[in-house]
Amino acid sequence: MVSTLGVAVVGFGWMGRVHTQAYARLPHHFPQLSVRPELIAVADEVPGRAEEAAERYGFATAARDWHEIAADPRIRAVSVAAPNFLHREIGTAMARAGKHIWIEKPVGLTADDARAVAAAVAEAGVQGAVGFNYRNAPAVQTARAMIAAGEIGTVTHARIRLFSDYAAHPEAALTWRYERARGGSGVLGDLASHGVDLARFLLGEIDALTADTAVFVPERARPAGATAGHTRATGGEPGPVENEDYVSCLLRFASGARGVLEACRVSVGEQNTYGFEIHGTKGAVHWDFRRMGELGVSRGTAYQDQPVSTVYVGPGHGEYGAFQPGAANSMGYDDLKVIEAYHFLRSIAEGTAHGATLDDAVRSATVLDAMARSAERGAWVSPA
């Protein structure tokens, strides 16, 4: 028997739209799910944005104040897609109001923020999901299974990269993303958080690290009005960029493996260049988000001059079968968020966590805080 679950979205920029569309698509891709989301309310402080979202996507209610969402008894689950500095306040309030939450990474500005949201979720006995979407790619799921099964031997070293050009233009507006008080740790929280989650998901916990950071575009113009996404601003009052454009980090895993994680938001010529190369004593696996359905695999007994083959993921890999009937048909970014929504609602229906949780967010944020400490001290540190 299928029951209805009232859901709401707080913050309706790009990510709020992606969450909404994921809810709408769930019955199409996962008809076996025992709960169906019903779009009850959307909240955004920008005048007119929530009303436009309600009209376009079919929310029953639009609001400027997210507190109305917390107080609405029709709502049982909430997507928190507001800016980073609001994650702690909104996330803890929704959990205390008895709402299950699907919150975007990095869950606040610091590990303390993530811990506060995780504690509120645990105390309220609700489910909490986090937007680490890249782990949901069927090829990534396949790589994890291969590594766990020992198909590439014992992992020796890995490289994880997240390069993008969304902030490369010097006229990119000085939005909350570039302010320490509202955006937190810059590219660390934005892109490196995904890298840390992939590292942990594939290779286990991180024991120690040393990091270096830099700001390459030190000043930007303040926007004249509300912004969404990565908009440009010309002629506005200039202001300083307070957080990092770039981070590089050496990692030591509890397993003994070594790693390199590098992330940059101002990489000219790089568009969503996200991926990893993982090497073991008997082989290797490689993945590039831009070729999401392909996994480079080297395995065998040759060791030297051992070839690399391309595996095209298919219905037997991860949740691929919910989207395509045969291997090598393309999936996209939004599909990964549908999988994320599925894990979230399945967690609610079964009372058991599926997918990325608030614990994953806390562990990722702890590593990010350690990166910031290491960059400041110029030394190896252990994530607290």
Side-chain angles (χ1 to χ4, degrees), residues 70 75-78 91-101 120 124-127:
I75 298 166
R76 293 183 55 204
V78 178
T92 55
M94 294 301 173
R96 289 167 184 161
K99 320 292 187 188
H100 307 283
I101 62 170
V126 297
Q127 295 294 324

Side-chain angles (χ1 to χ4, degrees), residues 155-159 203 250-253 255-260 380:
V155 173
T156 54
H157 61 101
R159 183 168 73 97
L203 304 175
L250 299 179
L251 305 170
R252 292 176 183 165
F253 291 89
S255 66
R258 299 300 195 260
V260 178
W380 282 87

Side-chain angles (χ1 to χ4, degrees), residues 91-112:
T92 55
M94 294 301 173
R96 289 167 184 161
K99 320 292 187 188
H100 307 283
I101 62 170
W102 174 14
I103 186 168
E104 274 306 313
K105 56 81 204 168
V107 190
L109 304 180
T110 64
D112 283 344

Side-chain angles (χ1 to χ4, degrees), residues 330-348:
S330 298
M331 289 177 64
Y333 177 91
D334 286 13
D335 295 328
L336 303 184
K337 302 304 278 191
V338 175
I339 296 172
E340 209 168 275
Y342 167 63
H343 289 156
F344 177 43
L345 267 68
R346 184 183 173 194
S347 300
I348 295 170

Side-chain angles (χ1 to χ4, degrees), residues 18-93:
V18 172
H19 277 230
T20 301
Q21 292 174 164
Y23 285 130
R25 292 176 57 193
L26 266 181
H28 307 154
H29 298 284
F30 297 98
Q32 75 275 21
L33 193 62
S34 62
V35 293
R36 296 284 175 88
E38 180 182 1
L39 300 178
I40 299 296
V42 56
D44 196 291
E45 65 178 7
V46 176
R49 185 178 286 175
E51 290 78 8
E52 181 182 353
E55 181 178 355
R56 182 174 179 182
Y57 293 99
F59 289 96
T61 304
R64 289 276 302 277
D65 188 346
W66 61 262
H67 292 88
E68 295 180 29
I69 305 294
D72 193 331
R74 299 173 297 171
I75 298 166
R76 293 183 55 204
V78 178
S79 281
V80 181
N84 297 353
F85 67 97
L86 295 172
H87 286 184
R88 179 172 182 163
E89 182 182 10
I90 297 174
T92 55

